[in-house]
Amino acid sequence: MIARAGAGPRALPGWVWRWGALLAALALWEAAGQATAGRFLIAGPSEIADYLWTNAGLVGRALAVTLQAATAGFLLGNLAAMALACVALLVPRMAWLISALALLVFCLPLVATGPILRVLYGAGTGPQITLAALAVYYTTYLPLLVGLRAAPASWFDLVHTYGQGRMAELLRIRIHAAVPYLVSGLQIAAPAAFLGAMVGEFTGAERGMGVLTIRAIGALDVPGTWALATVASGVSIMSYLALGALGRRLGTHPRDLLLAPPQATRRPPAARRALGRLGRAVGLIIVVLLLWQGLMEGFGLNPFFAKRPADVWAFLVTVPEAAANRALLLGAFAQTMVLAVPGYLAGLALGAMLAAGVVLVPGLGAAVLPVAIALRSVPIVTTAPLLVLALGRGATGTITIVAVMIFFPTLVACLTGLRQTPGQVMDLFATYAAPRRQRLLLAQVPAMLPAFFAAARMAVPAALLAATTAEWLATGIGMGSLMALTASTSSYAMLWAAIVLLASTAMLAYAGVELLERRVLRVYASEQRQP
Amino acid sequence: MLPDALPPPDVCCLGLAKTFGSGPTATEALRPLDLTFAAGQTTALLGPSGCGKSTLLRLVAGLEAPSAGHVTIGGNSPAQVCARAGLAMAFQDASLLPWRTVRGNIALALTLARQPADPALVERLIALVGLDGFGDRRPAELSGGMRQRVAIARCLAAEPRLLLLDEPFGAVDELTRLRLNFDLPRLWEKRGTTTILVTHSVTEAVLLSDRVLVFSPRPASVVADIAVSLPRPRNRDVMATPAFRDLVDQASAALWAGSLAGPLAAE
């Protein structure tokens, strides 16, 4: 530790901050509930407890249904993720394609895939389980792939000097090196599975937490909405903590932060890199179109709702109403982007700024981090109705939902990043008695940038998910509303066109942020890159 | 450069002790120690790994608070000296900021020392450590030896009167290390600084210093205090003299004898 003669207040122990903050938050919440009583805004802890007490049976049964679907989706999604990661590892040439396809499926808007899955499966829990699986596999796949590669080259050389091959590499080294990454992936996956199952239930299930939530919003049942959101958050936080505890029993420290997977050390010239990127993009588009068509034909899906690439092309380009279709689609897209982009930027900025502010107070950073990590796992979208209740159906509500959705992951990533400033660099600043502000600006914030960009990359699909869900559940404008509307009026060509547009937007934005991230990493984390 | 060049300070440690942790897991890194480092001298602290010599250096730099006793630098506390940028420390790894160029890393010391930017001084320092033409490179593009030279240049930028070098050449290959050992002392000898150098190379200790303090294993105590009065500049010719070899033998013997008193001897 660094001795700071006469510098600032004494650091309080972490638990004082944590419990103090928790009690203060509860008291504030209750007070807010009392103050706004009768205005259909906020239900305090006492009202929530009352609701849960009187409706214990109802909520309990719904929770059991949703948990069952979420667990099934969690298992299926993670098995798929592990299989995908192993394939990507064993066939390195295909790794980029597998990763890109995995990302694409992750970027599909749940709001549109939900209704389509509903018509595919009919009644039952099929859509919930599928959406839960879709919500988790990417957040497991990505860390797992990084983890499987995160061992120093000398360890593999050791295996090779005994004449062993790739299988021994995998069994003796890679699997062990990947465990902490897998645990952190699973930790994020557990709340995501719950979120996926709830969104699946929004699309017309008979039972479950999602159904109750939709009903409570419809009936302007404020205590009910709050109670359900609280239960959903509690379950998510608990699943997160339980998996973390499991990871610690396994003797690992989950990685709170994942930078972009490193690329080849020898970089080809810029022109060839750009060409390679273009080639991959074209290859990806061809593969996606083939897969799309192939899956539809292979399963013999009804062309009425299972549209093919040609149908979407016709809908947007060749039919007589194509211009009107495009105008409707792009109009809704613009409405969504106008809200999603400011929300995305605001969430990132607030997360980074709060993280930077928190480290200025001694002891506070270490205390805030676990709270932020726990809150990161709250499925914000399930609390979207509350924010809409509080902020209204205008632009502010949607922007806030997007911002809140992104805020916590960013805060966690930035706090972790700030802590990664090398100790000797901080010592250097101490030998000049540099003030805290200077340490922050010259050493800690630059050291935080890689983490910030990693968060910004993962936040892209999250921002679109949050915006469209808010539009669907509450505001009635934009892509979310358009998709919900077209699903209920059976204009499936528009729905598929919306999926194509949103997924490609998410992919492009993700790729753009990743490009930025790699540039930043080259300069700002050149010494602390993972092998 | 500062107009009013201050004389180099002496460093006094009085009853200086450091214990990490408390209770049964407490580790005594440094037994109460009385030491004086004369103004303008270079002193090498030589000892086995983990004996507490780095802790001593960090106590002098004010990076650790002593458990007992105190350090004065020219009569002032380390915190006062740090606040005036009166000391500079070189770390085991070069600790350059990877996002700053060589020039930016050296200039950083001036910023931190609250001194005006001085591009000409930075260029002179780059030339002094033999890195002409590398001013715009980032640390990742440099070899280990080059990075250490940047770190030394950064140390010198704010004209400190006390230099604390914590195994600055530990991560550098033997040949580069020898060259740095020959070249770099000239940079601070001319300026009149008090220098404390931590190393576990006997040759390096004798080659660089006016005085070698040999430490026992943890908790550190001084087992030998050897004056080194070899001519400067020290180069390969000096290394070839019997006097040099005598001193190296003397320090090695003390290091060995000291280690026998430590916990390894029980085995």
Side-chain angles (χ1 to χ4, degrees):
Chain A
M1 281 307 322
I2 296 163
R4 298 181 195 91
R10 280 267 301 278
L12 284 170
W15 63 268
V16 174
W17 285 104
R18 240 166 282 158
W19 287 103
L22 186 66
L23 286 177
L26 277 178
L28 209 70
W29 184 2
E30 184 66 43
Q34 303 284 354
T36 59
R39 286 178 49 207
F40 297 107
L41 265 182
I42 298 169
S46 59
E47 273 181 283
I48 289 173
D50 183 49
Y51 177 91
L52 290 178
W53 181 254
T54 28
N55 298 291
L58 182 71
V59 175
R61 280 191 302 277
L63 184 60
V65 169
T66 307
L67 271 180
Q68 214 175 352
T71 309
F74 179 78
L75 293 176
L76 286 173
N78 284 317
L79 281 177
M82 290 178 205
L84 273 180
C86 284
V87 173
L89 187 75
L90 294 174
V91 197
R93 280 172 169 274
M94 298 296 287
W96 74 268
L97 183 62
I98 296 170
S99 295
L101 285 175
L103 172 65
L104 177 71
V105 178
F106 185 62
C107 287
L108 294 179
L110 292 184
V111 178
T113 42
I116 288 178
L117 288 170
R118 181 57 66 193
V119 268
L120 283 181
Y121 281 99
T125 53
Q128 290 92 298
I129 295 177
T130 311
L131 284 187
L134 286 181
V136 303
Y137 83 96
Y138 193 69
T139 51
T140 303
Y141 168 77
L142 197 64
L144 189 58
L145 193 60
V146 173
L148 285 169
R149 292 171 176 164
S154 59
W155 295 9
F156 298 121
D157 291 343
L158 175 73
V159 171
H160 298 155
T161 54
Y162 289 97
Q164 298 278 2
R166 298 192 118 180
M167 214 53 208
E169 264 185 20
L170 184 64
L171 292 178
R172 303 270 169 247
I173 294 174
R174 293 191 191 273
I175 285 182
H176 304 276
V179 168
Y181 294 85
L182 178 63
V183 170
S184 59
L186 292 181
Q187 270 192 299
I188 294 177
F194 196 77
L195 166 71
M198 272 185 82
V199 173
E201 287 166 353
F202 289 168
T203 61
E206 297 87 35
R207 288 177 299 155
M209 294 284 288
V211 179
L212 289 189
T213 303
I214 289 272
R215 267 190 230 148
I217 302 168
L220 263 182
D221 177 1
V222 176
T225 311
W226 275 89
L228 292 166
T230 308
V231 171
S233 307
V235 168
S236 298
I237 293 179
M238 253 137 65
S239 63
Y240 182 92
L241 295 179
L243 279 166
L246 182 76
R248 277 191 297 281
R249 297 254 341 230
L250 291 173
T252 67
H253 281 280
R255 302 283 185 273
D256 290 324
L257 181 70
L258 281 174
L259 308 180
Q263 281 178 324
T265 39
R266 271 191 54 224
R267 289 155 44 81
R272 278 213 7 232
R273 276 209 311 278
L275 208 65
R277 232 178 258 141
L278 194 70
R280 285 182 171 192
V282 171
L284 178 66
I285 291 172
I286 292 171
V287 169
V288 168
L289 292 178
L290 286 177
L291 272 179
W292 180 358
Q293 184 81 24
L295 281 175
M296 299 286 131
E297 301 300 337
F299 286 98
L301 299 177
N302 186 346
F304 174 64
F305 53 79
K307 298 294 179 195
R308 275 61 166 173
D311 301 330
V312 174
W313 176 261
F315 176 75
L316 290 177
V317 182
T318 54
V319 297
E321 315 84 68
N325 292 340
R326 282 201 306 268
L328 184 60
L329 182 66
L330 291 178
F333 182 69
Q335 283 176 331
T336 299
M337 288 325 239
V338 161
L339 303 180
V341 172
Y344 173 78
L345 296 177
L348 288 180
L350 287 176
M353 271 154 43
L354 185 68
V358 151
V359 297
L360 282 177
V361 182
L364 190 57
V368 165
L369 186 58
V371 179
I373 286 178
L375 286 178
R376 177 178 64 170
S377 58
V378 171
I380 296 296
V381 170
T382 62
T383 64
L386 305 180
L387 289 169
V388 173
L389 278 182
L391 298 166
R393 290 168 190 264
T396 330
T398 310
I399 291 178
T400 309
I401 290 167
V402 176
V404 170
M405 177 95 176
I406 288 166
F407 170 77
F408 285 108
T410 309
L411 176 64
V412 170
C414 289
L415 280 175
T416 315
L418 285 167
R419 289 173 143 206
Q420 283 181 342
T421 317
Q424 294 200 346
V425 166
M426 295 312 281
D427 283 347
L428 171 76
F429 280 67
T431 57
Y432 290 100
R436 223 169 247 288
R437 188 174 28 82
Q438 204 172 30
R439 290 175 209 209
L440 182 70
L441 287 179
L442 292 180
Q444 291 175 297
V445 166
M448 179 194 85
L449 284 182
F452 173 78
F453 277 94
R457 170 168 50 87
M458 291 306 283
V460 169
L464 285 176
L465 169 69
T468 50
T469 311
E471 286 167 347
W472 173 33
L473 290 181
T475 64
I477 56 160
M479 292 294 273
S481 169
L482 179 71
M483 289 188 289
L485 204 68
T486 49
S488 60
T489 58
S490 303
S491 40
Y492 286 103
M494 177 62 94
L495 192 58
W496 282 91
I499 293 179
V500 171
L501 180 59
L502 278 180
S504 5
T505 307
M507 284 286 277
L508 278 177
Y510 187 100
V513 177
E514 192 176 39
L515 208 66
L516 262 179
E517 182 190 6
R518 287 193 195 285
R519 295 220 164 147
V520 167
L521 280 182
R522 254 204 328 278
V523 174
Y524 286 84
S526 51
E527 283 177 346
Q528 57 213 55
R529 287 299 294 274
Q530 286 149 340
Chain B
M1 314 249 165
L2 286 183
D4 52 333
L6 297 162
D10 59 344
V11 178
C12 295
C13 305
L14 259 177
L16 193 63
K18 180 69 186 177
T19 306
F20 291 102
S22 58
T25 58
T27 310
E28 194 182 16
L30 213 60
R31 284 248 168 90
L33 201 63
D34 293 313
L35 271 177
T36 304
F37 301 93
Q41 266 200 349
T42 299
T43 309
L45 310 182
L46 184 64
S49 295
C51 76
K53 54 197 191 302
S54 284
T55 305
L56 174 59
L57 206 64
R58 293 173 62 81
L59 286 165
V60 173
L63 294 173
E64 307 275 356
S67 309
H70 63 272
V71 178
T72 54
I73 302 167
N76 297 305
S77 73
Q80 288 169 321
V81 176
C82 285
R84 278 190 276 110
L87 66 81
M89 182 154 172
F91 300 89
Q92 285 178 21
D93 71 48
S95 298
L96 304 177
L97 302 187
W99 52 87
R100 283 180 171 246
T101 59
V102 166
R103 207 167 270 137
N105 268 291
I106 297 174
L108 177 68
L110 293 175
T111 309
L112 294 179
R114 292 158 288 266
Q115 289 175 16
D118 187 346
L121 169 66
V122 172
E123 292 311 317
R124 250 179 301 156
L125 284 167
I126 290 176
L128 207 57
V129 295
L131 286 175
D132 295 280
F134 287 93
D136 290 322
R137 301 293 184 90
R138 289 217 168 81
E141 302 171 88
L142 305 180
S143 70
M146 289 159 105
R147 281 184 225 171
Q148 285 301 353
R149 281 185 272 164
V150 178
I152 298 286
R154 181 177 65 189
C155 271
L156 300 175
E159 296 274 309
R161 288 285 159 254
L162 173 61
L163 270 179
L164 304 172
L165 310 175
D166 187 3
E167 291 180 43
F169 312 126
V172 177
D173 72 273
E174 195 56 38
L175 188 62
T176 313
R177 182 177 188 151
L178 206 55
R179 295 202 52 168
L180 293 174
N181 282 344
F182 290 148
D183 295 344
L184 293 182
R186 293 180 209 166
L187 303 184
W188 60 75
E189 275 159 15
K190 269 186 269 173
R191 288 154 196 259
T193 51
T194 308
T195 305
I196 306 178
L197 165 81
V198 164
T199 176
H200 38 227
S201 156
V202 179
T203 325
E204 183 170 277
V206 174
L207 195 56
L208 290 182
S209 64
D210 305 306
R211 177 192 183 198
V212 178
L213 292 175
V214 184
F215 284 82
S216 70
R218 200 186 68 217
S221 56
V222 177
V223 292
D225 187 342
I226 303 165
V228 181
S229 46
L230 296 168
R232 287 183 187 271
R234 312 260 171 93
N235 48 29
R236 282 197 63 75
D237 298 336
V238 175
M239 281 179 82
T241 59
F244 181 85
R245 267 174 280 144
D246 267 0
L247 286 163
V248 169
D249 286 346
Q250 216 179 321
S252 293
L255 196 60
W256 181 246
S259 76
L260 290 181
L264 269 179
E267 288 177 0

